[in-house]
Amino acid sequence: MALDEAAAAAKAGEVPVGAVLVSADGKVLARARNQMRHRHDPTAHAEIGAIRAACEKLGNERLNDCSLYVTLEPCPMCAGAIAEARIAKLFYGAADVKGGAVDNGVALFDQKSCHHAPEVIGGLRESDCAALLKDFFALRRNG
């Protein structure tokens, strides 16, 4: 589902990142994609969209026991939102050596100032997620 969201983002001219938030019992609470250009909002990342929608649906700012699936390693802003929402598990596809903040960059969840760190599983369908991003940026550079 996150890859479907990422593909829809690419089709709309957005950086192809998709996210899905799932409850502890496996119910999909929210799906989202990058929409920064569409919304004219630099905070309209897929993760933020999914977190906002799930919180609204549950009527709670905490997403305890929930899992977030995202196609790209979250940036510092999104990693911070994941910690603040108390998401239990984060699954991501492609690593982001340049802009990631989970296993790369600031490694936010490893910082003493981070009040909550989810369980992190990286590399989920990594080649599919990375290919979507590579293809998107290759088209933008060449066309």
Side-chain angles (χ1 to χ4, degrees):
M1 282 185 268
L3 275 166
D4 291 343
E5 290 294 328
K11 188 174 180 180
E14 301 277 358
V15 174
V17 178
V20 177
L21 243 159
V22 179
S23 67
D25 61 359
K27 291 182 182 156
V28 174
L29 297 173
R31 297 171 60 147
R33 66 184 72 110
N34 274 2
Q35 292 189 318
M36 285 98 55
R37 288 178 166 220
H38 173 75
R39 295 184 182 272
H40 309 289
D41 179 357
T43 69
H45 290 202
E47 300 94 312
I48 300 297
I51 289 168
R52 286 177 176 159
C55 287
E56 183 71 26
K57 185 173 191 171
L58 296 176
N60 195 334
E61 74 281 6
R62 299 284 190 246
L63 298 171
N64 298 322
D65 301 320
C66 293
S67 296
L68 177 64
Y69 295 82
V70 63
T71 57
L72 182 65
E73 177 182 355
C75 72
M77 173 184 69
C78 293
I82 290 163
E84 290 297 326
R86 306 301 195 263
I87 291 171
K89 294 181 184 179
L90 167 65
F91 298 88
Y92 73 84
D96 188 351
V97 176
K98 185 177 176 184
V102 176
D103 290 321
N104 291 287
V106 299
L108 184 79
F109 303 136
D110 294 336
Q111 303 303 314
K112 290 179 185 176
S113 60
C114 185
H115 299 294
H116 170 79
E119 178 182 346
V120 177
I121 297 94
L124 190 66
R125 296 199 56 187
E126 184 173 16
S127 59
D128 295 330
C129 295
L132 192 57
L133 288 156
K134 286 177 188 174
D135 292 347
F136 175 81
F137 286 114
L139 283 172
R140 294 188 68 86
R141 278 191 299 274
N142 300 325

